[in-house]
């Protein structure tokens, strides 16, 4: 199952965008987006929401790949 880093990269490539272009959408530098895609860091909440809005997905989709909840 895809994790956050894989999903961000898949969404970016599906739109034919550079890391720099994605960074401009959410107000960060290219190296931050590179770090997201490598799983080295994660965006702060406003950036996460910006990514979800821009790509038309939920924050849950981005963050909780394969997560199973127990009640």
């Amino acid at each position: 199952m895809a994790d956050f880093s894989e999903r961000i990269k898949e969404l970016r490539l599906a739109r034919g965008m550079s890391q720099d272009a994605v960074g401009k959408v959410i107000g960060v530098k290219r190296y931050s987006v590179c770090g997201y895609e490598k799983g080295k860091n994660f965006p702060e909440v406003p950036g996460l929401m910006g990514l979800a809005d821009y790509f038309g997905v939920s924050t849950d989709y981005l963050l909780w790949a394969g997560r199973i909840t127990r009640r």
Side-chain angles (χ1 to χ4, degrees), residues 51-65:
L51 288 167
D53 289 345
Y54 183 78
F55 289 118
V57 297
S58 69
T59 55
D60 284 348
Y61 172 80
L62 294 175
L63 292 175
W64 304 113

Side-chain angles (χ1 to χ4, degrees), residues 6-62:
E6 294 166 326
R7 290 199 173 173
I8 291 299
K9 187 172 184 175
E10 289 169 1
L11 290 166
R12 178 179 65 79
L13 293 176
R15 292 235 179 151
M17 298 177 74
S18 66
Q19 291 175 338
D20 188 54
V22 171
K24 286 180 182 176
V25 167
I26 62 169
V28 299
K29 302 286 185 188
R30 179 204 56 81
Y31 58 82
S32 293
V33 177
C34 180
Y36 305 159
E37 292 184 3
K38 290 184 177 185
K40 292 185 176 186
N41 56 26
F42 293 91
E44 293 185 16
V45 172
L48 179 65
M49 292 170 56
L51 288 167
D53 289 345
Y54 183 78
F55 289 118
V57 297
S58 69
T59 55
D60 284 348
Y61 172 80
L62 294 175

